[in-house]
Amino acid sequence: QVQLQESGPGLVKPSETLSLTCDVSGYSISGGYYWGWIRQSPGKGLQWIGSIFHSGFTYYNPSLQSRVSISIDTSKNQFSLKLTSLTAADTAIYYCARRSGTYGWFDSWGQGTLVTVSS
Amino acid sequence: DIVMTQSPESLTVSLGERATINCKSSQSVLFGANNQNFLAWYQQKPGQPPKLLIYWASTRVSGVPDRFSGGGSGTNFTLTISSLQAEDVALYHCQQYYRSPYTFGQGTNLEI
């Protein structure tokens, strides 16, 4: 059974860059599927940030595209998120998740990590 | 972007009663080539990540109780819990995967 676990700082200053990593266990990240990041702001709905395939192919939410980068390290069985120029609006719980192989539902999720943007 | 709108925002239902959550998309998510609706439902309990319940608008994930059912087509969808149990208290989300960017509804808070 696949398991995902996010890691990274819980507090980041405005204008800085957020870096998060998702460790995947129970499944080889090279075995297929897309992998993605989704966030949930306090009191708001879920927002898809972007996804990556094991080949390194990425696609992002256009609303964040200028600030986001997702990368993958198959040797470590993990993928990562970078989000630049942070503001308070980026405060959220960040989830990593596995996307269905062919279609866009998310069938496995990490527990999530709360990121607060504040000076 | 396809905007997903859920109603109601909050719903209180008695144990054993039926609960119905609505989800409306700003454009059709029905793909003509395979006649499938690109719509999923998730359940999120407090302090937990979302859990996939239903995809293709009406296909239950293995292990999900059959009191959960999804219906609708095109732009209007429903999630129905036929007989509410205490463990069903949660936040429910719909999501379209017809077109990127994938988008979610704002969530419906289901209480007893």
Side-chain angles (χ1 to χ4, degrees):
Chain A
Q1 181 181 351
V2 62
Q3 292 187 317
L4 300 92
Q5 179 65 57
E6 306 87 351
S7 60
L11 179 64
V12 189
K13 289 182 170 52
S15 80
E16 292 190 343
T17 295
L18 170 66
S19 294
L20 296 176
T21 296
C22 182
D23 287 296
V24 179
S25 59
Y27 186 84
S28 171
I29 208 168
S30 300
Y33 289 97
Y34 278 82
W35 307 88
W37 291 95
I38 297 154
R39 69 182 184 180
Q40 186 171 29
S41 303
K44 289 192 176 182
L46 298 160
Q47 181 183 34
W48 172 72
I49 299 170
S51 293
I52 189 166
F53 196 53
H54 67 80
S55 63
F57 174 78
T58 54
Y59 62 116
Y60 303 122
N61 190 320
S63 68
L64 297 167
Q65 185 155 0
S66 64
R67 301 194 291 130
V68 69
S69 174
I70 298 175
S71 59
I72 196 164
D73 188 337
T74 55
S75 67
K76 295 181 179 179
N77 220 42
Q78 65 182 202
F79 60 103
S80 301
L81 168 72
K82 286 192 189 305
L83 186 63
T84 64
S85 305
L86 293 175
T87 70
D90 295 310
T91 293
I93 298 173
Y94 286 75
Y95 296 99
C96 60
R98 185 178 75 175
R99 202 207 79 176
S100 163
T102 305
Y103 300 101
W105 64 77
F106 295 92
D107 62 4
S108 297
W109 297 63
Q111 282 300 116
T113 186
L114 175 61
V115 175
T116 302
V117 181
S118 175
S119 55
Chain B
D1 296 5
I2 298 176
V3 177
M4 308 299 291
T5 304
Q6 288 182 233
S7 63
E9 289 191 4
S10 184
L11 179 63
T12 302
V13 176
S14 301
L15 287 172
E17 296 298 304
R18 177 187 296 263
T20 300
I21 298 169
N22 302 293
C23 176
K24 185 176 180 64
S25 57
S26 60
Q27 57 187 271
S28 177
V29 298
L30 174 62
F31 186 50
N34 62 5
N35 200 37
Q36 294 280 12
N37 288 282
F38 283 44
L39 191 285
W41 287 98
Y42 299 84
Q43 175 192 63
Q44 185 178 23
K45 295 183 178 180
Q48 296 185 19
K51 170 189 170 186
L52 179 67
L53 290 179
I54 287 171
Y55 54 94
W56 296 134
S58 61
T59 301
R60 270 192 309 274
V61 172
S62 176
V64 171
D66 61 6
R67 64 179 180 272
F68 290 89
S69 62
S73 185
T75 62
N76 289 285
F77 300 91
T78 57
L79 174 68
T80 300
I81 307 172
S82 60
S83 178
L84 191 70
Q85 305 299 303
E87 60 265 32
D88 300 334
V89 169
L91 183 62
Y92 290 85
H93 309 270
C94 61
Q95 178 224 338
Q96 66 81 19
Y97 48 94
Y98 182 84
R99 177 174 297 138
S100 179
Y102 308 128
T103 48
F104 296 82
Q106 79 279 19
T108 294
N109 196 29
L110 177 58
E111 299 174 326
I112 294 175

